[in-house]
Amino acid sequence: MVDKRTENVNLALDNVRQMLNTVNHGSITLIVQNSYVVQIEKKEKIRLR
């Protein structure tokens, strides 16, 4: 049986993996409270050439 904290981390990692496939330039930030990921933020930069 998997505990809630492990489920939370696995869900966060799945989301981060999906985001990494869509961002070319930018950052992904995890917000953690009481050892739980409560928010994931993605900032993307658009480079003009």
Side-chain angles (χ1 to χ4, degrees):
M1 184 171 154
V2 179
D3 66 354
K4 288 183 180 182
R5 188 170 293 152
T6 302
E7 276 185 30
N8 176 263
V9 169
N10 288 335
L11 180 60
L13 289 173
D14 289 343
N15 281 285
V16 169
R17 282 186 192 99
Q18 290 176 358
M19 289 178 171
L20 283 171
N21 289 325
T22 64
V23 67
N24 290 319
H25 301 282
S27 62
I28 296 171
T29 305
L30 301 177
I31 309 301
V32 178
Q33 293 178 353
N34 297 325
S35 300
Y36 286 92
V37 179
V38 295
Q39 185 172 325
I40 303 173
E41 299 174 354
K42 178 175 87 169
K43 292 185 181 180
E44 188 161 0
K45 308 272 184 190
I46 298 173
R47 309 254 178 186
L48 303 176
R49 297 177 189 233

